[in-house]
Amino acid sequence: MLYISRLTALWGWLPAFRAVAETENVHEAARHLHVTPSALSRSVKLLECEVGVALFDRTRGKMRLTREGQALLDSVRGAMRAVDDGLALARDEGLQGVAGVLCEGEHAASCLSRVLAALHREHGFVGHVDTHWCADVPAMLVRGELDVAFVTEPPREGHLAITVAGTLHHDVYCGPSHPLAARSDVSVSDVLAHSFVALTSDVSHAKNAGCSPWPRELTRKVALYAPSVRDASELCARGELLAVLPRAVGPHSELQALVRLPHPELPAQDLFAVTRRPISGRRTRADIIVDAMRHELAAQGNAPSSCELAAPPSYPMPTRSSR
């Protein structure tokens, strides 16, 4: 029981420590915790005295973790996640609550919306979706601000779990009245001679531009940008502009049939699911979202080439683990 006594002495200071460690600024951390900066500084100093080592390097208003501080932060994050999981089990919350999910690409985001709508209908699950990548996403996953991120270029941080959710396929389409629609000998140069309607997300910011299915080595003429696949399909169907559309969407346009052009052949894109590494044997909310997304993509012909799907599409609830 000695370790319990030891933890009791410093347990109340751990939230203050984590807030300062993740913001690197006492005043910002104090705003998050709704306490005064002086009280927060005092908690951190008391924790350092109890641990017996410096947890921060204090330089020019910044609070940067020492090696010992980083080791403690990793443990505190894991412990808080374990406590939160335990509370969810004790309350029998299942999937209820709000999950933060980030998704790159308009087509993948559309699939994700259907997945989260199904989870909400069946279990009261609520998803908060963001489509804007930022460099802080790996840290947001670690801090628990995001449950899962679906991206085409996964981060390299070793403390995150990365799996393939699906392989996205796109093609170049034109409307039936377009000059290329009736030709059987369409070449890459023929396609590049015509103008495109592209998605706004292709150029919204540098990171999102990396998830565009259009090959970077080919320069196309873009006449205008549409906010969604549906809008791009409509503009393409009018016959004036080409469009790069998801393979599962183009041939099934609600407006009229589009014509798929044979060239250029666009490379398939793996969509990766990025989550925190599990700290227990039980399935998490993130696992269930990833599985549901994987099955949704597979149903549209975007099954991951490196992942065998043996189970039918379903959105199972987590079960209590026996202890």
Side-chain angles (χ1 to χ4, degrees):
M1 301 295 287
L2 291 177
Y3 79 93
I4 295 180
S5 299
R6 181 185 180 190
L7 289 176
T8 300
L10 54 81
W11 192 262
W13 302 321
L14 295 181
F17 163 72
R18 179 175 178 176
V20 174
E22 292 179 341
T23 60
E24 296 186 341
N25 185 283
V26 172
H27 291 274
E28 184 177 349
R31 285 195 297 271
H32 287 309
L33 296 182
H34 305 290
V35 297
T36 63
S38 59
L40 205 58
S41 295
R42 184 165 58 253
S43 295
V44 171
K45 289 179 181 178
L46 289 170
L47 177 63
E48 287 180 314
C49 290
E50 181 67 26
V51 175
V53 297
L55 301 175
F56 294 94
D57 286 326
R58 297 164 171 82
T59 55
R60 297 182 180 180
K62 287 286 187 180
M63 301 279 287
R64 301 191 184 279
L65 286 170
T66 62
R67 183 181 61 181
E68 295 80 6
Q70 184 62 56
L72 180 59
L73 176 61
D74 292 341
S75 298
V76 168
R77 283 170 170 165
M80 287 185 173
R81 280 180 54 203
V83 170
D84 188 59
D85 287 347
L87 288 172
L89 282 172
R91 295 168 178 167
D92 198 19
E93 291 179 345
L95 282 178
Q96 294 180 4
V98 178
V101 188
L102 179 137
C103 191
E104 276 190 330
E106 200 270 342
H107 175 46
S110 177
C111 294
L112 177 62
S113 296
R114 288 191 292 273
V115 165
L116 295 179
L119 290 173
H120 176 72
R121 286 194 305 269
E122 296 182 29
H123 310 298
F125 182 81
V126 177
H128 177 76
V129 181
D130 192 355
T131 58
H132 299 287
W133 174 271
C134 69
D136 200 36
V137 165
M140 292 172 69
L141 284 164
V142 172
R143 292 196 298 263
E145 297 170 18
L146 285 175
D147 288 87
V148 58
F150 293 100
V151 298
T152 55
E153 296 181 18
R156 298 180 180 180
E157 281 78 356
H159 52 271
L160 296 173
I162 299 172
T163 58
V164 179
T167 302
L168 305 177
H169 301 276
H170 294 76
D171 292 294
V172 178
Y173 292 90
C174 68
S177 62
H178 192 277
L180 297 180
R183 290 183 51 177
S184 59
D185 58 343
V186 177
S187 66
V188 174
S189 59
D190 292 330
V191 171
L192 296 180
H194 293 269
S195 297
F196 281 76
V197 53
L199 294 179
T200 305
S201 60
D202 288 348
V203 293
S204 59
H205 46 78
K207 177 62 186 178
N208 226 7
C211 73
S212 170
W214 184 258
R216 295 181 180 180
E217 65 272 15
L218 297 179
T219 302
R220 59 175 171 167
K221 296 185 293 185
V222 177
L224 57 89
Y225 292 92
S228 69
V229 167
R230 180 184 296 274
D231 292 326
S233 300
E234 180 179 355
L235 291 167
C236 179
R238 294 177 182 178
E240 299 177 3
L241 301 171
L242 304 178
V244 175
L245 300 171
R247 187 171 294 176
V249 175
H252 304 289
S253 172
E254 295 179 358
L255 300 170
Q256 63 187 96
L258 299 177
V259 178
R260 183 169 66 90
L261 300 179
H263 299 289
E265 295 181 358
L266 305 183
Q269 289 181 306
D270 283 335
L271 185 70
F272 298 91
V274 187
T275 63
R276 297 181 294 274
R277 289 192 178 276
I279 58 174
S280 65
R282 80 178 186 90
R283 282 167 57 79
T284 66
R285 183 167 56 188
D287 294 329
I288 294 167
I289 296 172
V290 171
D291 286 348
M293 183 66 164
R294 183 176 287 123
H295 288 304
E296 175 68 23
L297 290 169
Q300 295 194 22
N302 294 299
S305 57
S306 59
C307 180
E308 181 179 356
L309 298 178
S314 62
Y315 306 99
M317 283 286 290
T319 58
R320 285 182 182 268
S321 57
S322 57
R323 304 202 176 194

